[in-house]
Amino acid sequence: MRKVILMMQLSLDGFIEGPERDLSWHRVDEELHSHFNEELRTMGAFLDGRVTYELMAGYWPTADQDPASTAAEIEFARIWRDMPKIVYSSTLATAGWNTEVVRDVVAEDIMRLKEQPGGDLALGGADLAAAFRRLGLIDEYRIYLHPVLVGRGKTLFQGADGITPLRLLESRTFGNGVVLLRYAVEADAGHAEGR
């Protein structure tokens, strides 16, 4: 069965973006971007909220045509365009680039999606991640911890009604100081969330 994998970049003080959606503190260099490409090219689909989708759609469809783009950026532009995408939005009417718009996160629909053949499902967006977490639909967390304190902005982990026990699968330090923390949700996590 395919897994739903949340992949997010996070500041040391827990923010995914600074004030006014500032992402300038992200330390994505060639090594880290190549790692992202390696991980994402094997996915079966990207599952994004509207904000994340619009951020990606505003840049990646033509990034490989920019002479200033690096080899890793050119490769990712192609990965992003070709990858099937599902964007969860109650306001977006249509979306391009191999994207289906879905109104609501329905657990049964996600379970059917996980049962389909193909690569794992990459989840993006803090609000969407909160909805998936509430329904117990996230199988793995891949947090890329950046060595920076942002001070304020939007947090990744919004309030939840329970505890989700995690098991460390991998940690990796990149040359730029970013640390990957990869966790699986413990098999008995559903019991803990009800406490």
Side-chain angles (χ1 to χ4, degrees), residues 157-191:
F157 297 108
Q158 303 165 12
D161 291 334
I163 296 171
T164 304
L166 304 172
R167 178 174 38 88
L168 183 65
L169 299 175
E170 173 189 7
S171 64
R172 175 180 173 185
T173 303
F174 294 89
N176 61 7
V178 171
V179 176
L180 163 62
L181 298 171
R182 185 174 157 234
Y183 294 96
V185 174
E186 290 286 3
D188 65 347
H191 297 26

Side-chain angles (χ1 to χ4, degrees), residues 2-122:
R2 303 199 287 184
K3 295 183 288 187
V4 172
I5 300 172
L6 176 65
M7 297 179 70
M8 291 294 286
Q9 300 192 60
L10 193 67
S11 68
L12 187 59
D13 51 352
F15 296 99
I16 61 165
E17 60 186 36
E20 299 180 32
R21 297 203 167 130
D22 177 30
L23 302 176
S24 64
W25 52 269
H26 284 189
R27 294 189 179 184
V28 181
D29 60 6
E30 195 73 6
E31 177 194 19
L32 186 56
H33 211 302
S34 294
H35 164 80
F36 290 150
N37 290 353
E38 188 177 306
E39 295 293 311
L40 293 171
R41 83 168 57 92
T42 65
M43 294 292 170
F46 294 154
L47 312 178
D48 290 324
R50 181 191 54 80
V51 172
T52 300
Y53 171 78
E54 288 179 342
L55 177 71
M56 301 297 278
Y59 180 72
W60 290 111
T62 59
D64 56 343
Q65 298 166 22
D66 183 344
S69 291
T70 66
E73 290 169 335
I74 291 168
E75 180 184 16
F76 183 73
R78 294 173 184 150
I79 291 168
W80 188 85
R81 273 196 314 263
D82 294 343
M83 184 68 62
K85 291 170 277 300
I86 299 174
V87 61
Y88 292 85
S89 173
S90 60
T91 58
L92 195 63
T94 61
W97 302 287
N98 202 15
T99 305
E100 174 187 0
V101 177
V102 174
R103 296 288 169 227
D104 298 303
V105 178
V106 178
E108 294 79 15
D109 294 343
I110 302 303
M111 293 309 292
R112 279 192 290 277
L113 189 61
K114 288 172 67 170
E115 290 170 353
Q116 292 177 7
D120 291 330
L121 307 166

